[in-house]
Amino acid sequence: MVDHEGSIVTVMEAMGLSPVVVRRVSRLWGKSAARNGGRTHLLLGHLLDTAAVAGVMWDRYVSAAFRRRLDEVSGGRGKLWFMWVCGIHDCGKACPAFQAMDAAEAAPVLASGLVWGRLATDRRKKWRHDVAGAALLKPRLVAEWGSAESAAWVWPLVAGHHGAFPSLSGLQPPNREVQGSGADWAEVQRAVVDVFTRAVGFEDLADVRPVGALRKAEQLALSGMIVMADWIASDSSVFRGLGDAGLISLAGSRGRAEVAWGRLGLRGGWQGLSLPRERLGPLTGRIGVIPRASQRELLERAWSMPVPGLLVVEAPMGEGKTKAALAAAEVLAARFGLDGVFVAMPTQATSDPMYEQVLQWVRSFDPEFESQVALLHGRRRFNAWWRAIWEGKPRPDGDGCGCGHAAEQSVGFGEDDYGAIDEDAGYGMQSAEPSADGAPAVGADGPAHWFLGNKRGLLTAFAVGTIDHLLHAATRTRHVMLRFAGLAGKVVVVDEVHAADIYMRQFLVEALRWLGQAGVPVVLLSATLPPAQRQLYVDAYLSGVLGVADVREVVPEPAGYPCVTVACGVGGRAVVETSRQAVPSWRESAPVALTWLPDTDPAGTRVAEVVWESVEDGGVALVVVNQVSRAQGIFEALREKGLGGEVHLLHARLCAAHRADRTAECLRLMGPQAGGERPHRMVVVATQLAEQSFDVDADVLFTDLAPADLLLQRIGRLHRHSGTRRRGVHRVPRVLVTGVEAGRDGVPEVLWASRAIYGMWSLLRAAALVTEAAGPLAAADGQSVPLGEPVAWSIPADVPGLVARAYGDAEVCPDGWGEADAWRQWQDRELKRMGEAGNYLLCRPREWAFPTLEGLHYAGSRAASEEELDAVVRDGESTVEVVIVRRVPGGYRAVDGTWLGVHGEVDDDAVTDRLMGGTLRLPAALTEAARAGLRPLPGWSGRPWLQYLPALVLEQEGATLLGKDRVLYDDDLGLVVERR
């Protein structure tokens, strides 16, 4: 009888291994002293440490849903099987290619009688230990399990633990020497697998055989958990090296794993969330709202859905979709055993208020959950609540927005060593946000800073971030399994899903396939979703559920708007339903008067004149244009007319501090809590920043022509809040559409910038729909529609019909507008973008139905850094973020005047905050010049937040040359580029 808790030497002796084999196995190293805190760690020690970490993860981290699946495929031994598959990952280190890498560590191995010949020094011919492990394990699994199918999905888990899954042909070593030739090596390699297997708790390798198979998406999630366990077990500060096999045991590794888990502050999420006692309780009790009809509809769908599935929620702007989605997430998690939530937002700016909303929500479950909410975007350091929780800073006053000054952050973890042909990468476990004394800021009640490392953010129980993080999990990049593992145990909510353009949509569709196959509930939210996109997302999710490449399950026409569409798979059959009865909106539809304001002058002089006229006697106007320079021109013209401090400018070329301050001021004066502070007269001139998740209420809207769905999003800022007092002329919501004028034969001529952004086809169709309400463009005189005149758009009732027509197949433009030619050009452009996205998708369509992860990284990893990965999922022109500093006699000052020092030195966090409040992203036209000419200041060397951030140094007159252009920063206008 084997003592599974005894040392591995005891285990080997009980197994009847010869003293020679025992000695040789006891010499194999897994972590070298040179890279493991000065102490060698034996191979079997690391395997058992990883298995022990997996055991702790099973008890405290892995979702109940995934535990059930592992129990199913292992015949009820899920925990034991999970520990084995995590621990066996490094068995390939028992080969000459690895053991010879460090001369000091190789000496005892050679002394034991294991030898090797001359090994290749060419990196291309070296033998990676992850692939070596799969190569030695695969034939044994086939032979001892008696099932090639079972072995086929397990060996890639070993081969892929350094971030990429090779094809079967990749398991062929360049020569026999690197893998180990001769009986001695074969005997030792067999012993390593058998001893580990016995030490973990199985009788032998045959006893490990699974009784079923995980689906491919579940395999990807499991692979990510293997990597997570490996990285935690590689922390040399907790798992100190053991060079004596007599000191290594599973019991010892369990104790070390418990200590590591506690020191790193790691934890899961709900871990068995109870069902709400009342069906509407997640809304009425936890979130504290009186449920609207659309919110009740979504919650009822979450209760009645038979299995995890997709929920597509379409409801007007301001309907409370996100609150309802969080309530639905609670129901779905409790019913199906999920452990947390990821909320994906379209931008960094929209992520911050959602983060604070999720913070309040998770506190209602347990105040300690607050420290387990991750904010995933590059500027999180400047969210006051995130810093308070994750960096131990003072809490913000009140419960308001913590969207502080923004700047690109660079967590202090470099890219992992992807070579995997040498020893393991240095997965240092120190805090990414060290405390003032340099010690890791880890505590039992604090956040787990381990999750701040590269690629780990989604592993946090609760997360809010940009949609990019969801899209990253659908890219063929290294360690994609870590990202996917972070999604697999959660409910995924995607807000403003319509904001994904056709390029990003390819990754969203791919992500939905994988999430569907993994049984992850997904909630998609939109106010203006075209029916074709709804169908696309439903088909993608069902493709994953059913495990086939192409699915077409027609979505029934919704009975009304708002509506909820449900898609899931029951018994191998697709089920798609939508709201059977019309669901009333929380507010009645109201007529919106549309009129043309012809103007294609980039300076917007005519627009400024009419805006002034509309508010001269009072009122709050919102102006949304498609070009920064146009917004700046309109702003200046309004100031010249005497509006002064009553006009505000918002666009992406404001530095982070100014943008945050102005956004907060607009929300204070025009937001839902404005009350008596709402001004008598005010104008906000903005770019597309005001298009979504900008909760302000305007009396009148001026907007450049944009695609119909985006026009409707902008109209969603008009007469948004109930109870707002308005002057008589503003009691009817009015929209003036500009950025367009009548050309020859009445064909619309549109601003060049608008055509470049959106393409002419969608703009023509939007113009045609506006014409139906406002009359022909040629007849417009720029005046507002008289009160009492019939109007054609009823908002929100007409929203779905307008969006459907805008993106439908039927022509909507008058004859002579050239709609067919515009459509062909648009289609060519969109098809090209789709093809470019296909180069980076996680799986080729024809391989979607393949049952295993073999060869997933068939074309390598297309992105090596986070910056490159962002470029992969968003195909816009490359841009550079800089921080503005001003050169003054004797040194530099931050944009707000803070003294920095002779070389730009930064003394403390407070100065860093003020300095990085000057960050902004340069327009794409300046990218080449910025990369060639801008560098960090000398005084920023070694500063984790600054050392890689280029400085845009403005000379004493406030400007500088960047390439051929003169660039200046005006505190009111923002960045101004004078082209030469």
Side-chain angles (χ1 to χ4, degrees):
M1 189 71 179
V2 173
D3 177 9
H4 296 299
E5 297 299 309
S7 76
I8 57 168
V9 173
T10 303
V11 172
M12 286 189 283
E13 290 173 346
M15 291 172 62
L17 298 181
S18 71
V20 171
V21 172
V22 172
R23 183 173 68 253
R24 289 172 175 171
V25 171
S26 298
R27 295 291 187 270
L28 296 175
W29 62 277
K31 303 284 183 183
S32 67
R35 299 186 63 176
N36 194 56
R39 297 170 64 98
T40 300
H41 195 33
L42 296 182
L43 175 56
L44 279 173
H46 177 59
L47 301 190
L48 288 176
D49 286 346
T50 308
V53 169
V56 177
M57 288 172 58
W58 178 275
D59 293 335
R60 306 181 193 176
Y61 181 83
V62 180
S63 71
F66 203 73
R67 292 200 303 268
R68 283 197 298 268
R69 285 294 291 133
L70 288 179
D71 273 333
E72 290 170 3
V73 301
S74 65
R77 298 184 295 176
K79 180 177 180 179
L80 191 61
W81 200 89
F82 182 59
M83 292 172 63
W84 179 87
V85 77
C86 288
I88 200 66
H89 74 285
D90 261 355
C91 65
K93 288 183 176 179
C95 72
F98 183 87
Q99 294 296 312
M101 281 172 38
D102 185 293
E105 306 294 351
V109 179
L110 291 168
S112 74
L114 289 172
V115 297
W116 49 81
R118 184 180 179 84
L119 300 175
T121 57
D122 186 345
R123 288 181 63 91
R124 293 171 298 179
K125 295 183 180 179
K126 284 189 175 182
W127 189 227
R128 297 170 21 157
H129 73 262
D130 49 352
V131 180
L136 74 87
L137 196 60
K138 178 181 175 294
R140 286 205 60 192
L141 297 182
V142 173
E144 300 193 33
W145 289 357
S147 169
E149 291 77 12
S150 295
W153 70 268
V154 173
W155 71 257
L157 301 175
V158 174
H161 82 266
H162 268 275
F165 299 99
S167 63
L168 184 60
S169 62
L171 300 192
Q172 297 300 318
N175 54 65
R176 293 181 60 196
E177 196 64 37
V178 295
Q179 181 74 350
S181 59
D184 289 349
W185 274 108
E187 190 175 34
V188 166
Q189 289 168 348
R190 185 179 187 88
V192 167
V193 173
D194 290 343
V195 172
F196 167 74
T197 300
R198 185 71 69 91
V200 167
F202 286 103
E203 290 303 309
D204 51 32
L205 191 57
D207 191 30
V208 182
R209 176 184 173 177
V211 299
L214 293 178
R215 309 184 80 189
K216 183 162 64 174
E218 295 168 330
Q219 296 168 30
L220 189 65
L222 175 57
S223 176
M225 294 178 198
I226 293 170
V227 175
M228 180 179 175
D230 179 25
W231 287 10
I232 294 171
S234 296
D235 179 3
S236 61
S237 69
V238 181
F239 294 89
R240 298 185 65 194
L242 296 175
D244 182 348
L247 300 177
I248 294 172
S249 67
L250 180 61
S253 290
R254 281 174 171 159
R256 288 148 62 93
E258 290 283 354
V259 171
W261 195 263
R263 283 191 56 185
L264 295 173
L266 299 172
R267 66 189 71 183
W270 285 308
Q271 290 290 288
L273 183 63
S274 299
L275 282 170
R277 294 181 180 179
E278 299 178 3
R279 293 179 80 85
L280 293 178
L283 274 171
T284 58
R286 193 172 306 286
I287 297 179
V289 300
I290 299 173
R292 296 166 176 167
S294 62
Q295 295 173 323
R296 290 197 300 270
E297 172 76 359
L298 174 56
L299 208 56
E300 182 56 38
R301 292 289 179 170
W303 276 108
S304 62
M305 181 184 289
V307 294
L310 175 70
L311 292 161
V312 184
V313 183
E314 299 168 68
M317 294 72 75
E319 186 77 16
K321 293 185 291 294
T322 53
K323 286 183 172 64
L326 293 179
E330 177 183 351
V331 173
L332 294 169
R335 292 187 62 217
F336 301 124
L338 286 307
D339 203 39
V341 170
F342 172 57
V343 182
M345 302 297 294
T347 63
Q348 294 180 349
T350 56
S351 297
D352 280 308
M354 178 54 63
Y355 167 69
E356 288 150 28
Q357 185 172 333
V358 171
L359 278 180
Q360 294 180 0
W361 179 60
V362 300
R363 288 188 201 113
S364 67
F365 294 97
D366 186 335
E368 290 190 4
F369 282 155
E370 180 185 71
S371 64
Q372 304 308 309
V373 184
L375 177 59
L376 304 181
H377 67 65
R379 300 183 176 190
R380 65 187 178 195
R381 181 176 189 263
F382 295 92
N383 179 288
W385 276 102
W386 187 87
R387 291 197 66 182
I389 294 167
W390 286 80
E391 296 185 19
K393 303 291 183 182
R395 295 298 178 97
D397 293 330
D399 295 322
C401 177
C403 314
H405 301 162
E408 185 74 18
Q409 67 95 22
S410 176
V411 175
F413 288 83
E415 283 298 305
D416 297 317
D417 181 355
Y418 294 144
I421 55 173
D422 55 0
E423 203 175 325
D424 291 311
Y427 304 127
M429 298 298 120
Q430 72 274 16
S431 167
E433 304 291 336
S435 58
D437 61 4
V442 174
D445 299 325
H449 289 87
W450 187 88
F451 290 125
L452 296 183
N454 244 350
K455 308 174 186 66
R456 305 176 199 168
L458 284 174
L459 295 169
T460 319
F462 308 98
V464 178
T466 57
I467 191 174
D468 303 63
H469 291 273
L470 173 60
L471 307 184
H472 290 170
T475 57
R476 191 175 55 258
T477 48
R478 284 201 179 265
H479 293 112
V480 66
M481 68 283 289
L482 265 180
R483 304 181 195 278
F484 192 77
L487 295 172
K490 295 180 172 65
V491 179
V492 175
V493 178
V494 186
D495 199 8
E496 310 275 15
V497 70
H498 58 268
D501 62 20
I502 195 165
Y503 183 89
M504 297 168 64
R505 215 173 294 150
Q506 308 312 304
F507 298 99
L508 179 55
V509 165
E510 181 75 356
L512 288 173
R513 287 195 190 102
W514 287 83
L515 293 172
Q517 190 172 81
V520 175
V522 178
V523 185
L524 305 181
L525 309 177
S526 177
T528 55
L529 189 67
Q533 288 188 36
R534 181 202 305 139
Q535 184 70 58
L536 178 68
Y537 298 146
V538 165
D539 288 342
Y541 191 87
L542 291 175
S543 175
V545 170
L546 302 178
V548 296
D550 297 304
V551 170
R552 177 69 177 181
E553 191 70 26
V554 177
V555 178
E557 186 68 24
Y561 177 76
C563 65
V564 178
T565 300
V566 177
C568 59
V570 179
R573 181 177 60 87
V575 175
V576 181
E577 299 176 351
T578 193
S579 299
R580 302 179 186 88
Q581 296 179 343
V583 178
S585 174
W586 72 278
R587 60 179 178 181
E588 293 184 0
S589 289
V592 173
L594 285 90
T595 190
W596 292 110
L597 174 53
D599 176 71
T600 55
D601 176 9
T605 305
R606 173 64 176 147
V607 176
E609 291 174 357
V610 180
V611 171
W612 165 252
E613 294 169 3
S614 73
V615 300
E616 187 174 7
D617 296 326
V620 176
L622 174 63
V623 184
V624 184
V625 296
N626 299 336
Q627 191 176 11
V628 171
S629 60
R630 182 166 162 87
Q632 291 170 328
I634 294 171
F635 172 79
E636 284 196 290
L638 289 171
R639 282 200 304 182
E640 291 173 2
K641 289 182 176 295
L643 278 177
E646 295 172 314
V647 60
H648 303 263
L649 179 63
L650 272 176
H651 58 73
R653 293 185 203 166
L654 292 168
C655 72
H658 294 160
R659 179 171 162 180
D661 290 344
R662 292 185 197 179
T663 300
E665 180 70 358
C666 290
L667 290 172
R668 183 180 70 83
L669 297 174
M670 298 172 62
Q673 308 301 322
E677 293 192 72
R678 184 178 176 89
H680 170 69
R681 183 171 64 185
M682 177 178 175
V683 177
V684 175
V685 183
T687 56
Q688 292 92 332
L689 295 180
E691 203 163 80
Q692 55 198 8
S693 299
F694 188 49
D695 193 6
V696 297
D697 182 338
D699 293 330
V700 59
L701 171 68
F702 295 78
T703 172
D704 276 348
L705 182 67
D709 55 328
L710 302 185
L711 278 181
L712 290 165
Q713 287 288 337
R714 296 175 187 185
I715 292 173
R717 317 304 130 194
L718 183 64
H719 288 224
R720 184 180 179 94
H721 304 141
S722 60
T724 302
R725 299 180 63 182
R726 308 182 203 277
R727 293 179 60 253
V729 70
H730 294 307
R731 286 177 183 167
V732 173
R734 295 180 300 138
V735 180
L736 289 87
V737 181
T738 185
V740 60
E741 62 185 7
R744 182 178 301 176
D745 299 324
V747 178
E749 289 188 357
V750 185
L751 281 166
W752 176 88
S754 301
R755 298 198 308 269
I757 296 168
Y758 302 117
M760 198 60 188
W761 177 74
S762 60
L763 293 172
L764 284 176
R765 291 175 73 89
L769 295 175
V770 173
T771 297
E772 295 175 1
L777 180 59
D781 60 5
Q783 300 302 310
S784 60
V785 176
L787 292 180
E789 180 174 315
V791 294
W793 286 13
S794 180
I795 304 298
D798 287 349
V799 168
L802 290 167
V803 173
R805 292 184 62 203
Y807 290 97
D809 296 330
E811 292 190 1
V812 299
C813 298
D815 293 339
W817 280 23
E819 181 180 1
D821 288 340
W823 183 85
R824 281 190 290 270
Q825 293 175 16
W826 177 83
Q827 185 77 350
D828 289 345
R829 175 188 177 190
E830 300 295 86
L831 289 174
K832 180 180 178 182
R833 296 176 71 199
M834 288 175 62
E836 290 170 348
N839 293 326
Y840 302 96
L841 291 178
L842 183 53
C843 187
R844 289 183 288 197
R846 65 178 179 273
E847 295 177 354
W848 169 243
F850 286 12
T852 78
L853 296 171
E854 179 207 335
L856 190 66
H857 289 82
Y858 60 89
S861 302
R862 298 301 187 104
S865 70
E866 292 295 303
E867 184 179 23
E868 292 173 343
L869 188 54
D870 287 338
V872 163
V873 298
R874 292 182 186 257
D875 69 336
E877 294 181 88
S878 177
T879 58
V880 174
E881 191 164 61
V882 300
V883 60
I884 298 171
V885 296
R886 303 185 189 276
R887 196 192 306 273
V888 296
Y892 300 91
R893 290 190 182 275
V895 72
D896 71 345
T898 300
W899 172 250
L900 301 178
V902 176
H903 302 292
E905 296 87 347
V906 177
D907 298 323
D908 55 34
D909 283 349
V911 174
T912 301
D913 288 352
R914 291 194 289 272
L915 168 63
M916 293 183 70
T919 57
L920 62 76
R921 191 164 292 276
L922 296 175
L926 299 177
T927 296
E928 184 176 350
R931 287 180 173 166
L934 301 184
R935 299 290 183 272
L937 292 183
W940 298 351
S941 178
R943 299 290 299 187
W945 297 101
L946 297 171
Q947 58 185 336
Y948 302 116
L949 189 60
L952 180 64
V953 181
L954 304 179
E955 303 302 332
Q956 294 186 43
E957 68 275 14
T960 189
L961 282 177
L962 193 54
K964 297 180 180 180
D965 302 315
R966 184 173 183 268
V967 178
L968 59 92
Y969 188 85
D970 181 274
D971 286 348
D972 294 321
L973 293 175
L975 188 76
V976 178
V977 181
E978 298 176 353
R979 307 306 305 267
R980 293 192 174 187

